[in-house]
Amino acid sequence: MVTYTPSVLIHGGAGSSRPTRTQLIFLEKILCRGYALVHAGQSALTIVEEMIEALEGSGLFNAGLGSLPQLDGVQRMDASIMDGKALTAGAVANLEGYLHPINAARLVMTETDHVLIIGDSAKRLARHFALKRLPRPNKPVRPRSRSRGNPPINTRTFSLYKKMGKYGTVGAVALDLQGNLAAGASTGGVSVMFPGRVGDTPLIGSGVYADNSAGAISMTGIGESIIRMGMAKWLTELMRSGFSPSRAASHVLKELVHRIHGAAGCLVLGSKGTFTIQHTTPWMAAGHWNGKGQPIVGDRFSAPRSFSPRKA
Ligand code: GLY
């Protein structure tokens, strides 16, 4: 007897700018496609990969085609994916020139004995498997933050929120008909970043985690703060010890803000299909559907309980 509810959750980032209607409409389309794949009996892993692939290809988010450039003007992308059944995972960091870093992450998982491959080696792997390239040469692009006339980048006058820019990391989690969980995320990073900078997204246990016996997590936000708190694994362990997704997210996000003034949003899906979407930022583009009622997509979800935001 099935005692869980197959579900899909998706996000297009958390930050200081309100998501556009176009972004939300696109998220809803991909959410529905994701649930159709659940219904068709696809694995959670494939569903997560396909949903993220579509977001990367859209150019509407800070991932794949829409990736922010680093300070030398080059787009370098990070992605990871994890299978909650076998606890296998794959990731790439600082990948240049390829449209779908999430495909490269899955190949690291399935075709190598490793978890994370970076830079030129990730590029070689993508080339070896003939992954789709970005449709234009990866020529230097002016960093968006500069072209918008922001203050000098080497000062601390940027607020955390401003660092997050207009576009968001993307991610997804899914629970399939077999009761398997998977999680993934993909990003172009943050608005102001040193060349070679790597955020939470490709770090298993920070930006992403999935374990059938506990839950699946996909994070978005300021990667440095998410890494310092080891958020995805922490959330998973709280759920293993009996916390609901909502209570776990509320606890961990409050700690993130109060201890290190971090900023993040999360998709948290439990092994029975209970879930939460929470964020400490003003906005988060995200959605969920378990086949009942209508798919829900929005730009604001619950703040952590008794959360009092600190001024950035
Ligand atoms: N959360 C995405 C990043 O910090 O790179």
Side-chain angles (χ1 to χ4, degrees):
M1 193 177 72
V2 175
T3 55
Y4 52 84
T5 312
S7 310
V8 288
L9 282 80
I10 192 168
H11 74 76
S16 57
S17 303
R18 187 172 196 164
T20 63
R21 193 172 144 69
T22 309
Q23 287 175 317
L24 296 179
I25 289 170
F26 194 78
L27 278 182
E28 181 170 342
K29 181 173 143 191
I30 303 309
L31 183 67
C32 292
R33 196 187 291 171
Y35 190 78
L37 293 172
V38 172
H39 200 64
Q42 288 288 345
S43 71
L45 198 65
T46 293
I47 295 160
V48 163
E49 183 183 16
E50 292 206 7
M51 289 169 81
I52 292 177
E53 193 182 304
L55 298 175
E56 288 174 337
S58 72
L60 294 172
F61 303 94
N62 175 21
L65 188 59
S67 293
L68 291 165
Q70 298 193 322
L71 283 172
D72 58 358
V74 178
Q75 292 163 305
R76 297 185 184 87
M77 297 163 280
D78 303 335
S80 70
I81 191 161
M82 183 160 186
D83 175 9
K85 183 180 180 190
L87 301 185
T88 47
V92 289
N94 270 225
L95 173 65
E96 285 177 39
Y98 284 84
L99 184 59
H100 296 301
I102 195 69
N103 297 157
R106 186 163 179 182
L107 286 165
V108 171
M109 181 178 108
T110 56
E111 305 301 320
T112 79
D113 298 319
H114 311 304
V115 170
L116 173 61
I117 296 184
I118 64 167
D120 284 348
S121 299
K123 202 167 164 180
R124 278 175 62 194
L125 178 126
R127 192 184 313 129
H128 178 80
F129 287 100
L131 295 188
K132 207 165 173 180
R133 292 193 57 89
L134 280 168
R136 55 191 152 67
N138 190 25
K139 61 176 188 252
V141 203
R142 280 184 81 198
R144 285 181 188 141
S145 55
R146 281 186 167 181
S147 58
R148 284 189 193 135
N150 282 341
I153 48 98
N154 57 351
T155 71
R156 287 185 170 255
T157 56
F158 277 103
S159 71
L160 278 177
Y161 290 156
K162 280 194 176 152
K163 271 189 187 171
M164 302 180 76
K166 187 173 171 190
Y167 302 87
T169 296
V170 303
V173 295
L175 175 61
D176 66 24
L177 290 174
Q178 282 70 46
N180 293 316
L181 286 164
S186 180
T187 191
V190 289
S191 296
V192 180
M193 55 184 161
F194 204 87
R197 177 265 186 192
V198 173
D200 61 297
T201 302
L203 302 183
I204 300 300
S206 288
V208 161
Y209 204 78
D211 179 346
N212 278 5
S213 68
I217 319 293
S218 180
M219 300 296 307
T220 172
I222 298 291
E224 284 74 5
S225 66
I226 297 168
I227 293 168
R228 286 164 65 198
M229 301 297 275
M231 291 194 69
K233 182 65 170 157
W234 188 8
L235 282 159
T236 311
E237 291 312 314
L238 285 178
M239 288 197 286
R240 191 193 309 288
S241 72
F243 278 53
S244 67
S246 170
R247 204 168 141 229
S250 184
H251 177 76
V252 170
L253 289 176
K254 266 192 282 181
E255 289 286 300
L256 174 81
V257 173
H258 292 141
R259 294 190 64 188
I260 64 167
H261 296 202
C266 56
L267 306 178
V268 184
L269 176 60
S271 53
K272 304 283 186 234
T274 54
F275 66 86
T276 190
I277 301 173
Q278 294 187 27
H279 49 105
T280 67
T281 51
W283 305 101
M284 178 164 173
H288 57 86
W289 201 25
N290 60 12
K292 296 175 190 151
Q294 296 297 313
I296 304 293
V297 170
D299 54 21
R300 264 188 211 266
F301 291 82
S302 34
R305 267 180 297 181
S306 51
F307 171 71
S308 51
R310 285 173 188 254
K311 287 199 168 60

